[in-house]
Amino acid sequence: MRILAIDYGSARIGCAISDPTETLARPLAVLEPADPRGVADLVATHEVERVVIGMPVRLDGREGDQAAATRLFGKQLSELIDVPVETYDERLTTRMAEASRRGGARAGEDSLAAAHLLESYLASRKSSS
């Protein structure tokens, strides 16, 4: 199954996609502006079967204003596409993306965060099967 992960932000969206075997996560170009129609276009173009949106949860597990905005974005996106849209805890993915950039990764930081989110999501799917 091809899965698209997104790191939603009010200004831009980081994106990453899995291969059909759910083994690899590849960063895609950052979408600006942050519009659900842009994500819907990616879903159609890449024949995506599931979208995972990073849920910004605080380290203590609480959700803030950005989590509410992310849920609203997910709802808007789900009205545009015919594939499941779900959220997944994105704690620490931004820090992991920053480390990847320091290590020489060339993708945009938001898309690197989406790739780390996707890697974590794929690992959790494998461990629960």
Side-chain angles (χ1 to χ4, degrees):
M1 171 185 318
R2 193 173 297 276
I3 301 170
L4 176 70
I6 62 173
D7 180 43
Y8 172 74
S10 58
R12 64 188 164 273
I13 300 170
C15 304
I17 194 162
S18 75
D19 67 320
T21 66
E22 299 182 29
T23 305
L24 302 173
R26 177 175 54 95
L28 298 174
V30 171
L31 295 178
E32 290 183 84
D35 183 347
R37 289 180 296 245
V39 176
D41 289 344
L42 286 177
V43 168
T45 300
H46 293 283
E47 299 177 351
V48 169
E49 298 172 73
R50 177 170 307 218
V51 176
V52 177
I53 303 174
M55 181 55 63
V57 180
R58 296 179 180 147
L59 291 177
D60 66 4
R62 292 183 302 140
E63 294 184 6
D65 294 339
Q66 186 60 30
T70 299
R71 286 192 192 282
L72 176 60
F73 180 85
K75 182 177 183 297
Q76 293 169 337
L77 178 61
S78 67
E79 293 169 357
L80 297 174
I81 61 176
D82 291 325
V83 301
V85 176
E86 64 183 90
T87 59
Y88 190 76
D89 185 348
E90 71 170 15
R91 280 182 267 194
L92 306 177
T93 57
T94 300
R95 289 189 182 132
M96 292 165 63
E98 291 167 354
S100 293
R101 294 280 296 166
R102 286 191 303 273
R106 289 189 233 159
E109 193 168 298
D110 295 306
S111 289
L112 286 172
H116 286 296
L117 169 76
L118 184 53
E119 288 170 347
S120 177
Y121 178 80
L122 294 173
S124 75
R125 283 175 57 89
K126 287 200 186 324
S127 70
S128 67
S129 355

